[in-house]
Structures are given as structure tokens and as C-alpha cells.
Amino acid sequence: MAVERTYLMVKPDGVQRGLCGEIVSRFEKKGLKIVAMKMMKISKDTAEFHYGEHKGKKFFDSLISYITSGPVLAMVLEGDNAVAVCRNLMGKTNPQESAPGTIRGDYCMVTGVNIIHGSDSVESAQREISIFFRPDELVEYKRDSDKWIYE
Ligand code: DAT
Ligand code: MG
């Protein structure tokens, strides 16, 4: 097993549309373990730092105003190969290309308002978790159902 942690957030459109429960439920039902979760409003500075890799791109300013436009639901999920597993559940960046059955494939229409963020590598997961959560907010616990989820 390669146990990983990854950073996910329901973006402001998902919160406003009342889809937090539905989205969290998909990750839970898959078998990912919730390690941390909180509602928050992201400051402009934090948003620009989080999305630093996209600075200078034509969509950067609208991305920052979108992600700071309302509260997000931030979470840290854990599981075997969690980064890639969560990216697969999210679907492709452009919702018109995301497969049906994925979160973006089922719940949104355009790239600029694509409902969910998820880390794209173990390195970015570590970076993003440290931006949005203090170490003491990451909850260590044994989940008894793991024996029914993993061999
Ligand atoms: P992802 O969110 O799938 O990791 P990304 O890291 O390439 O995708 O881009 C971050 C976000 O920026 C993405 O969720 C939506 C926005 N974005 C990316 N490419 C875009 C584009 N061509 N036009 C508008 N928004 C875009
Ligand atoms: Mg990305």
C-alpha cells in the first residue's frame, strides 16, 4: 500500500449549489478517510499563492476572483494512492470532457466554474495541505472499516 494524503476543496459554486454533502459522500463511499475538513473563505493572497503555478496565464485573475468569491469546503483525505484516486473521482479539468460518473462530469458545465479542486501530485498535496491546515488540525485515528476496504 502507498498511503497518501491529498487536499480537496469544494469550490464556491459547489457550496452555493448545496453540493458539499453529495461530493463528500462520493469520497467517503469510495473508501477515502477524512483526516480534516473545514469551511473557510480564502484570502486573495492565499489564493494567489495556492494557484501560483498559473500566475501569468490569461485565466489567472478570474480564477482568483472565483475561488475567493465565497466559502469553500476544504478537506484532507487519506488512502492508498489517494492523490490519483481522487483526481479520477473528480474527472478532467474541463467538465465538458469529464466522464459521466465523475464529479465534474456530473455536476458542472465549464472549466472556469468546475466545482472542485484536488491536488495533482503527492508533492503538491503536501504543499497545499500545509497552506490550508495546521498540523494539529489533521486528525489521527484508526478506522475500523479499513479491514473491509483494504486486503
Ligand atoms: P485542475 O483544477 O484540474 O488541477 P489546473 O490545475 O490546470 O486544473 O487549473 C486550475 C484551475 O484553473 C482549473 O480547475 C480551472 C482553471 N482553469 C484551468 N485552465 C483553464 C482555462 N483554460 N480556462 C479557464 N480556467 C481554467
Ligand atoms: Mg491543478
Side-chain angles (χ1 to χ4, degrees), residues 53-54 87 117-118 120:
E53 65 175 303
H54 299 301
R87 290 288 295 191
H117 168 82
D120 63 6

Side-chain angles (χ1 to χ4, degrees), residues 19-85:
L19 293 170
C20 288
E22 173 64 33
I23 291 169
V24 171
S25 179
R26 287 178 174 226
F27 293 111
E28 267 193 307
K29 285 189 269 192
K30 176 73 171 170
L32 289 142
K33 178 166 133 182
I34 301 169
V35 168
M37 187 179 292
K38 66 180 169 189
M39 293 292 295
M40 63 185 183
K41 281 186 82 171
I42 304 179
S43 70
K44 188 165 182 284
D45 283 355
T46 301
E48 289 181 351
F49 185 65
H50 167 70
Y51 278 127
E53 65 175 303
H54 299 301
K55 203 169 170 72
K57 295 183 185 169
K58 63 181 186 321
F59 60 84
F60 186 73
D61 289 349
S62 63
L63 175 62
I64 298 306
S65 74
Y66 160 51
I67 207 69
T68 58
S69 65
V72 299
L73 177 67
M75 60 196 131
V76 177
L77 301 180
E78 184 183 280
D80 185 31
N81 204 22
V83 172
V85 167

